[in-house]
């Protein structure tokens, strides 16, 4: 039994399951994400991770509100920046990133729709 508990893979699976079961309540901005005629995301919007911890980010995945999402390097960099700078605006995120603006906007939109990120504006 001791070997099972001390096994690194078992511990990682436990953390994944525990993190997946933790929820951070955040309102969905229906006026932005539910309106097909809404314009682009506002540059003054700020974003936050819908999780108490950025678990898995070192392995290019994130678990937030029950969703596990694998990411490429640009997605992981975006999440790292948002967790390190929780009050950064969209304009600041775009300025910091080496990824094209349209791609950042689309990625953030999809992360918000999937309840990985929350938005305040």
């Amino acid at each position: 039994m001791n070997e099972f508990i001390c096994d690194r893979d078992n511990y990682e699976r436990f953390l994944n399951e525990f993190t997946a079961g933790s929820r951070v309540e955040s309102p969905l901005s229906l006026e932005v994400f539910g309106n097909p005629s809404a314009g682009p995301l506002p540059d003054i919007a700020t974003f936050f991770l819908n999780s108490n911890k950025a678990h898995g980010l070192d392995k290019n995945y994130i678990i937030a509100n029950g969703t596990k999402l694998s990411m490429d390097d640009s997605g992981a960099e975006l999440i790292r920046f948002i967790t390190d700078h929780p009050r950064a605006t969209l304009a600041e995120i775009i300025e910091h990133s080496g990824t094209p603006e349209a791609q950042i906007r689309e990625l953030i939109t999809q992360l918000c729709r999937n309840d990985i990120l929350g938005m305040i504006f």
Side-chain angles (χ1 to χ4, degrees), residues 13 15 18 21 24 26 36 39 42 45 57 70 72 83 85 100 102 106 108:
R13 278 193 296 273
L15 284 179
F18 179 79
V24 173
S26 65
L57 199 53
S70 296
D72 61 9
T83 57
H85 305 90
E106 179 61 26
I108 288 176

Side-chain angles (χ1 to χ4, degrees), residues 18-113:
F18 179 79
T19 303
S22 302
R23 296 227 13 108
V24 173
E25 294 299 321
S26 65
L28 177 62
S29 299
L30 289 177
E31 64 277 1
V32 175
F33 301 114
N35 182 354
S37 63
L41 294 173
D43 287 346
I44 61 169
T46 60
F47 301 90
F48 59 92
L49 182 63
N50 279 333
S51 179
N52 294 321
K53 183 180 177 203
H55 178 72
L57 199 53
D58 57 328
K59 296 176 183 162
N60 280 17
Y61 71 88
I62 192 74
I63 299 175
N65 281 342
T67 303
K68 180 179 179 182
L69 182 67
S70 296
M71 296 178 290
D72 61 9
D73 290 338
S74 64
E77 179 187 333
L78 172 69
I79 296 293
R80 272 189 208 93
F81 185 80
I82 289 172
T83 57
D84 291 344
H85 305 90
R87 294 291 175 211
T89 65
L90 177 58
E92 292 167 335
I93 294 168
I94 291 168
E95 181 181 317
H96 166 77
S97 176
T99 305
E101 179 178 342
Q103 187 176 342
I104 290 291
R105 287 180 181 276
E106 179 61 26
L107 179 57
I108 288 176
T109 298
Q110 292 306 317
L111 290 171
C112 287
R113 285 185 175 147

